[in-house]
Amino acid sequence: MQRFQSKDIADLDKRYRTNLVNSLSGFKSVNLIGTVDAEGTTNVSVFSSVIHLGANPALMGFIMRPVSVTRDTYNNIMATGHYTFNHITADFFGKAHQSSARYPANISEFAAVDLTAQYKDDFPAPYVAESPIQIGLEFREQMEIQLNGTILMIGAVKELYVPEDCLQADGYLDIEKAGTITVSGLDAYHTTRKLARLSYAKADRALRALEGKLK
């Protein structure tokens, strides 16, 4: 097994180091974030840093790279206060990945990568029509991480759209059935296979499988 110490990591070629460190956290969620600027130009970009922050109130976050250069997603959220998270499936992951390219601010990534901006009811930010799970958020707080200048963006879930046949009686959302994929590193996309759903862990109670088999 190869060992890397912190000095070894710091001395690596930049691209090699970036690929290696981005792989360390394992499989990650991958979402398209939809926004719109004050002039009505839509924007969509792929992010692999979306996280759950709490259920009551329902909060979600994502990491924004330092805004020392223009970040359209960040600027649009600051201007409008709203944005969307959209799950990605195997049917359009290439288009989702292409959205990470640097397009001019006056060019909609939706049009550039051939995805569909979808407005629902009176929510001010666009969803990705191709996405099976869509989440509308309202900006609440940003927290700068002093060590590297990245920003934790925190939003409140205002609405969501999910397939009825993927929503179970206890509230569990079967994202594998919805076709949601995952990512590892910067550019490797994966489908998933559920092993099991397990019972709530209690010290005085044997663990059991709610679905699948426990090993």
Side-chain angles (χ1 to χ4, degrees):
M1 183 173 288
Q2 187 166 349
R3 182 190 187 196
F4 291 89
Q5 293 184 286
S6 57
K7 184 181 184 304
D8 301 322
I9 296 171
D11 290 341
L12 291 171
D13 169 78
K14 179 181 178 181
R15 178 52 55 184
Y16 187 101
R17 181 177 62 244
T18 299
N19 283 329
L20 176 62
V21 176
N22 270 278
S23 301
L24 295 179
S25 58
F27 295 114
K28 300 173 284 189
S29 67
V30 60
N31 288 263
L32 285 165
I33 298 184
T35 61
V36 63
D37 67 18
E39 286 70 46
T41 302
T42 56
N43 174 278
V44 68
S45 188
V46 64
F47 282 78
S48 61
S49 58
V50 169
I51 56 173
H52 162 84
L53 290 176
N56 186 27
L59 298 174
M60 299 180 73
F62 73 97
I63 298 295
M64 174 68 62
R65 293 169 65 190
V67 293
S68 52
V69 299
T70 300
R71 306 284 184 198
D72 292 335
T73 297
Y74 178 84
N75 292 339
N76 292 352
I77 292 173
M78 292 297 98
T80 69
H82 293 84
Y83 53 105
T84 67
F85 290 158
N86 303 268
H87 285 211
I88 298 168
T89 73
D91 293 330
F92 62 94
F93 74 94
K95 296 177 180 180
H97 186 78
Q98 181 60 28
S99 72
S100 64
R102 290 184 178 273
Y103 293 98
N106 63 334
I107 299 296
S108 170
E109 285 80 1
F110 279 99
V113 305
D114 193 29
L115 289 172
T116 309
Q118 180 183 43
Y119 287 94
K120 294 190 174 187
D121 298 321
D122 58 352
F123 196 76
Y127 292 99
V128 177
E130 291 81 359
S131 175
I133 296 175
Q134 305 166 326
I135 308 158
L137 299 107
E138 185 173 68
F139 174 72
R140 283 290 186 266
E141 184 179 357
Q142 59 178 316
M143 302 176 65
E144 183 176 356
I145 298 170
Q146 298 294 328
L147 287 171
N148 63 2
T150 58
I151 302 170
L152 173 60
M153 303 288 288
I154 300 173
V157 176
K158 303 303 291 184
E159 61 180 28
L160 62 152
Y161 297 89
V162 301
E164 290 185 14
D165 63 347
C166 297
L167 188 60
Q168 298 189 5
D170 65 353
Y172 170 73
L173 183 61
D174 191 339
I175 61 173
E176 183 177 66
K177 185 176 182 180
T180 296
I181 63 171
T182 185
V183 70
S184 63
L186 293 170
D187 51 21
Y189 294 84
H190 309 261
T191 56
T192 65
R193 183 174 68 86
K194 186 194 304 178
L195 297 176
R197 283 190 72 198
L198 302 181
S199 60
Y200 191 84
K202 302 280 285 186
D204 59 349
R205 187 181 305 166
L207 200 63
R208 61 189 179 87
L210 305 177
E211 297 178 16
K213 292 182 179 180
L214 174 60
K215 294 184 178 181

